[in-house]
Amino acid sequence: MPVNISDYFLRATGSRSVRAIALRAGLEPSTLNRQLTGSTNLPVETVVSICRAFDLDLADAFVAAGYITDEEANRLGARVALSAFDDLELAREIVVRIENATATEDLTGDLPIPIGVRGPVQDDLRAVASEREDADETDEGYEG
């Protein structure tokens, strides 16, 4: 990742001049030049305008501008990616992780029983499952 937003835009736009970048983004070239060489952060609106004009990733530009960290950009990307999947696709991914033993403890561990919820507790569910496994071994005609 480039050290600063000026380097990022220079590289991401194919080494175009500040004037060419500004004009394509609908900005005043002298204003963009002042913003890029100034001591304050580039205004968010300027970064967004340039990203839109050159079809650049906003998260990458925001990291280069110092608005967000790499970690924050990664989390944002993960959320956006997850939102593209429907419930069935998400459920299938969970099953695949469990079958491949790549699921985390968050997914495979004990689930907390919310206060005020009545019904079997986790140990009762394990006992029922264990009994079912024992029955499966003795039920010759049963196919699970």
Side-chain angles (χ1 to χ4, degrees):
M1 180 58 60
V3 175
N4 64 47
I5 192 69
S6 298
D7 291 342
Y8 172 79
F9 282 142
L10 181 66
R11 190 188 56 145
T13 62
S15 299
R16 288 184 167 81
S17 68
V18 171
R19 177 176 174 74
I21 293 170
L23 292 174
R24 184 163 171 181
L27 304 168
E28 181 62 41
S30 61
T31 302
L32 180 60
N33 190 47
R34 225 178 5 265
Q35 290 173 342
L36 288 172
T37 58
S39 61
T40 60
N41 280 345
L42 204 57
V44 172
E45 298 84 6
T46 300
V47 174
V48 171
S49 294
I50 295 170
C51 287
R52 287 179 179 161
F54 289 92
D55 195 29
L56 302 176
D57 186 271
L58 278 172
D60 289 343
F62 280 11
V63 169
Y67 301 144
I68 62 174
T69 65
D70 278 323
E71 183 181 303
E72 291 166 331
N74 290 335
R75 284 195 313 256
L76 175 63
R79 282 192 196 120
V80 170
L82 281 174
S83 68
F85 293 98
D86 64 29
D87 293 343
L88 184 57
E89 291 169 319
L90 291 172
R92 284 182 178 142
E93 177 62 20
I94 290 171
V95 169
V96 166
R97 290 180 188 194
I98 291 170
E99 289 175 346
N100 293 337
T102 59
T104 64
E105 177 70 21
D106 291 337
L107 183 59
T108 60
D110 289 343
L111 296 175
I113 305 298
I115 296 173
V117 173
R118 295 184 180 195
V121 294
Q122 198 75 23
D123 290 338
D124 291 340
L125 292 174
R126 283 199 184 97
V128 170
S130 177
E131 289 171 13
R132 184 68 243 159
E133 288 172 7
D134 293 342
D136 288 347
E137 293 172 7
T138 58
D139 289 345
E140 293 178 22
Y142 176 78
E143 291 188 30

